[in-house]
Amino acid sequence: MSTSTGTAYSPKSTAYNYYKNTIKSVSRYKLLLLLLLPAIIYYIIFRYAPIYGTLIAFKDYKFRLGVSGSPWIGFANFSRLFASRDFWKVLRNTVLLSSFKLLFGFPAPILFAILLNEVRNMHYKKFVQTISYLPHFLSWVILAGIIIKFLSPSEGPVNYFIMELGGQPIYFLANNSWFRGVLVSTSVWKNIGWESIIYLAALCSIDTQLYDSAVIDGCNRFQSAIYITLPSLAPVITIMFILSIGSIINDDFDQIFNLYNEAVYEVGDVLSTYTYRIGLQQMQYGFSTAVGLFQNAIAFVLVLFTNKITKRFSEYGIW
């Protein structure tokens, strides 16, 4: 077989040239690649090395015997998992809570970024950005204390306002009807500013001449946002949506653990808190590891499935 120029094509020589060029590129940018070293070390130590621990899910783990010395029990932990009534309850709570967070939390930073992009007063814009970012840098331990005080039925400003209007105080954090709403709204409040950064960065790459042309054609700012801004953000929105679908089986342990109590276990107990109680408090390490492994496997499948569906109906995807 030969190329159009008559030169013989050799897969071996092509592979050699590819690796040769790769080595040259690595050598050329070695100082920049060194900046990746801390991140690589982090992922090796805290992400890849712990994978060995998933063997516990298939063993009757004994602390004194260690992972390698504990006896194998196959899929016994998974059989017990799927036979447990509590597991299906916490799985339902996890999916419902994550779905509500996705429904309200995913479009919120997009809308916030678009609205913020329309602000022309730079001082006011920077002030709003700073205020919106602030909750992200506070731990849920601190935020939970603020929220508990804020929603307190005896001294919280929310219930004070309700009583001033003639209503009765509401136990937001001890009422099954209100607890999920509190979790979703506080999650959106904490993350909306930080998650809008990637969309604000994407907005900066949009050619301003498109907006100038839209003004000439008679478009107002709302129409420009609909027909120019949103289509330009479509690739970023698609990728973020695929990654968000993968987290629908996950939950925010820090938030829920610091806000929930026994009164709202029926609607607030999720996979991570269930794993915490079973694994650490009751020391059933194999069973809790099986719960975590199941959770991660479902998340991986959801990402693959969502990416495939998205690629079928659009040109955007993770790969």
Side-chain angles (χ1 to χ4, degrees), residues 287-299:
F287 183 71
S288 63
T289 304
V291 176
L293 186 59
F294 168 81
Q295 191 175 1
N296 291 328
I298 295 299

Side-chain angles (χ1 to χ4, degrees), residues 200-313:
L200 288 170
L203 287 171
C204 293
S205 65
I206 300 176
D207 190 352
T208 56
Q209 293 182 2
L210 295 175
Y211 293 104
D212 296 336
S213 300
V215 171
I216 294 173
D217 292 336
C219 291
N220 55 35
R221 296 176 74 172
F222 177 77
Q223 291 172 326
S224 297
I226 296 296
Y227 297 110
I228 298 176
T229 306
L230 281 177
S232 299
L233 289 176
V236 178
I237 292 174
T238 302
I239 293 173
M240 297 302 294
F241 177 74
I242 293 172
L243 296 176
S244 298
I245 288 294
S247 64
I248 203 170
I249 196 67
N250 295 318
D251 46 74
D252 195 335
F253 172 80
D254 291 337
Q255 178 197 23
I256 298 172
F257 182 76
N258 284 286
L259 289 175
Y260 85 148
N261 53 74
E262 292 184 4
V264 291
Y265 271 6
E266 188 64 29
V267 298
D269 197 19
V270 292
L271 284 171
S272 61
T273 55
Y274 179 67
T275 304
Y276 168 79
R277 289 201 313 277
I278 296 296
L280 294 182
Q281 294 184 344
Q282 301 180 21
M283 294 186 293
Q284 300 179 33
Y285 302 111
F287 183 71
S288 63
T289 304
V291 176
L293 186 59
F294 168 81
Q295 191 175 1
N296 291 328
I298 295 299
F300 181 68
V301 171
L302 285 173
V303 169
L304 293 179
F305 177 76
T306 308
N307 184 73
K308 184 175 181 180
I309 295 299
T310 305
K311 291 286 286 185
R312 178 173 295 182
F313 293 100

